[in-house]
Amino acid sequence: MSVYSINHIMQVISNYINGHLVQPLSGKYLDNYNPATGEIYSHIPDSDESDVENAYKAANEAFKSWSQMPSEQRFKIINKIAELIDSKNEELAIAESIDQGKPVWLAKNEISRAAQNFRFYATAAMQFASESHNIDGHAVNYTIKAPIGVVGCISPWNLPLYLFSWKIAPALATGNCVVAKPSEITPMTAFMLSEICNEAGLPDGVLNIVHGLGPKVGNAIVSHPGIKAISFTGGTATGRHIASVAAPMFKKLSLELGGKNPNIIFADCDFDKAVKTSVSSSFLNQGEICLCGSRIYIEKSIYEKFKIAFLKEVEKQIVGNPLDDNTKIGAIVSNQHFEKVLGHIKIAVEEGGKILCGGKAVNPASNPGGWFIEPTVIENLNAECRTNQEEIFGPVVTLTPFDSEEEVIQMANGTVYGLACTIWTENLGKAHRTAASVNAGIIWINCWLLRDLRTPFGGMNQSGVGREGGYNAMNFFTEMKNVCIKI
Ligand code: NAD
């Protein structure tokens, strides 16, 4: 087990425009905090629309040659990015851990997955064929799937490089040029990606990364008339705003938004697996994963037994220094989010919730100034209360008993969201019935976070619009043109 150390030199992040690492035109910078110490450790460009304009011009200029480059050559460059990410796994993981607060062992896993995003889409682009339809031998249709041009990718802070690459990789692989913005709260690995892209030989202007605030840089990307498609992952309120700007401009829009995911435990489940996996799905990455289950519904006959076993497992979750490999739960990403999560715990108590464990901020001896919260388990709340309706996005879960399949499906479907759901049962019929009845874009049966990049990924209702993943993402980043020829 290792404890990694921090380089104390203040780092200054640059924008990446037209292949160059550049300062923001305003010359202004924002502070970037290490959540595990509460200290400023780097400065990030406070960019504005003039930087976005330069990024757009570079992308637009690069589009013709990038989109016309033989796919084999594009494949080699994108694959090289994947190789370089893999070769720098530890360096990137430590940077991600310092920036975001997640344990470094988890960051290593996510960085590998970011490399896999590039590798997967580089390969998928080589297989991306179009259909042909014959009309009774007297006409033939074929479909051209053409890159859109310049597209915008905006990502959140919870899985920084993974989600950034989840968008950029399919956009580039299908021949688009990109203006991208990572979260201002976790910009570091996106900055490191700029250097990797140059090392991989990505032509100038193909990918441009503009750092800064959402309402300035993000808004400039969304409202830019030349940027034809927006792929956004983040909160539902931000997604709603983005839709209101992009829809009247008739932009293509992919929205991956918030969730309040149910975890359904039937009495006939594989008990030990259900308990252990539910602890991970509640607290991995401090509960800051859009796919985390935050409402655990347990069939009444095993409620007490499950509660005792679950709490026993939660006790083993060591909260502390993200750079220590023994740590299970790291720091909450920002002071603002830390206060928000604590505020939600207070609301839960006011609503009559009984805190079974956690419920407070912690100060680990190694990191006294950091933003840490104990894993928190709450019971005695009804399905309609704010705690069970609003996304908390932290290490907080509720336990609720249920009597019947019908009742639990109603409770599971009783929020405005519809992102993910986990079902635990050994009864095949019940598993399929429940999966078909739950309103969620992603359903796991007897597992959680088992991902296959070919599958559709996204949410229903206020959890999003559209699907990414596999050919869904490639279809999103291309414009289809049907050509009909009379024979
Ligand atoms: P956020 O909406 O605050 O920010 C996301 C990104 O949007 C950031 O880069 C931000 O700078 C930018 N942004 C903010 N205001 C903007 C504006 N007016 N115009 C354009 N861009 C703007 O979200 P967050 O707090 O960074 O991330 C947490 C949220 O993301 C949670 O709700 C979580 O559920 C969601 N999320 C969803 C998925 C998914 O796949 N559905 C995955 C991860 C996170």
Side-chain angles (χ1 to χ4, degrees), residues 154-210:
I154 302 175
S155 60
W157 49 255
N158 62 325
L159 310 174
L161 191 63
Y162 176 74
L163 288 173
F164 200 55
S165 56
W166 175 243
K167 300 177 175 305
I168 289 169
L172 295 180
T174 43
N176 299 282
C177 291
V178 177
V179 178
K181 189 195 107 57
S183 169
E184 59 275 32
I185 301 171
T186 53
M188 192 53 82
T189 46
F191 168 56
M192 293 165 83
L193 179 68
S194 330
E195 292 168 328
I196 287 173
C197 287
N198 279 346
E199 207 179 326
L202 189 72
D204 294 350
V206 169
L207 171 64
N208 303 275
I209 302 173
V210 187

Side-chain angles (χ1 to χ4, degrees), residues 154-158 163 181-184 213-215 218-219 222 232-235 238 241-242 256-259 290 391 393 419 457:
I154 302 175
S155 60
W157 49 255
N158 62 325
L163 288 173
K181 189 195 107 57
S183 169
E184 59 275 32
L213 299 171
N219 200 54
V222 175
F232 170 80
T233 298
T238 315
H241 172 76
I242 287 176
E256 301 285 350
L257 309 176
C290 57
E391 185 183 46
F393 215 52
L419 187 56
F457 182 93

Side-chain angles (χ1 to χ4, degrees), residues 281-290 292 392-396:
S281 71
S282 303
F283 302 116
L284 193 72
N285 202 39
Q286 303 73 246
E288 296 165 337
I289 302 181
C290 57
C292 276
I392 300 175
F393 215 52
V396 181

